[in-house]
Amino acid sequence: QVQLVESGGGLVQAGGSLRLSCAASGRTFSSYTMGWLRQAPGKHREFVAAISWSGGSTYYGDSMKGRFTISRDNAKNTVFLQMNSLKPEDTAVYYCAADSGMFGSSWYSGYLEVWGQGTLVTVSS
């Protein structure tokens, strides 16, 4: 079983950048699809980005395309989310997640196998 710990959240001004990290424990990290979801206060959880086990395929939510980049380093059991051109509406708790299946609808529904505890990102205007 994989366990996930996020880091890198914080306060940033609009237009700024942040890089989130998700460190995973467990021998099978490299076999999991990894990704990020977020939840803003009073809003539903939202898919942000995901990456295949090999790193060869990436997927993004519509409002993140062109601004966010997901990557992974299987040697270090870590997945990253580089967030640029941040907007106040990006303010949310960001959760790292892992699933042993291929990318699919579960990343939009949130029915994923493993979750991190979340890290807060606040973008000020």
Side-chain angles (χ1 to χ4, degrees):
Q1 180 73 349
V2 173
Q3 294 181 321
L4 307 173
V5 178
E6 302 99 331
S7 61
L11 174 64
V12 63
Q13 289 188 331
S17 299
L18 277 177
R19 189 192 197 202
L20 305 184
S21 299
C22 174
S25 61
R27 297 179 181 178
T28 59
F29 169 81
S30 60
S31 67
Y32 280 73
T33 300
M34 301 293 299
W36 297 86
L37 293 87
R38 69 185 185 186
Q39 188 163 19
K43 295 189 176 181
H44 294 296
R45 189 165 45 199
E46 179 182 23
F47 169 69
V48 175
I51 187 167
S52 63
W53 67 270
S54 68
S57 297
T58 56
Y59 313 88
Y60 295 94
D62 288 342
S63 64
M64 297 82 179
K65 291 177 181 177
R67 299 189 300 125
F68 292 9
T69 303
I70 189 170
S71 60
R72 67 190 294 165
D73 185 338
N74 285 343
K76 297 182 178 179
N77 282 10
T78 304
V79 62
F80 304 97
L81 184 68
Q82 178 67 43
M83 304 185 294
N84 298 329
S85 303
L86 284 163
K87 306 174 183 180
E89 51 264 43
D90 293 317
T91 295
V93 176
Y94 284 71
Y95 296 92
C96 180
D99 197 85
S100 59
M102 295 178 63
F103 177 79
S105 60
S106 59
W107 285 91
Y108 295 91
S109 64
Y111 287 100
L112 301 166
E113 294 174 17
V114 187
W115 290 84
Q117 83 285 355
T119 186
L120 177 63
V121 171
T122 303
V123 184
S124 63
S125 57

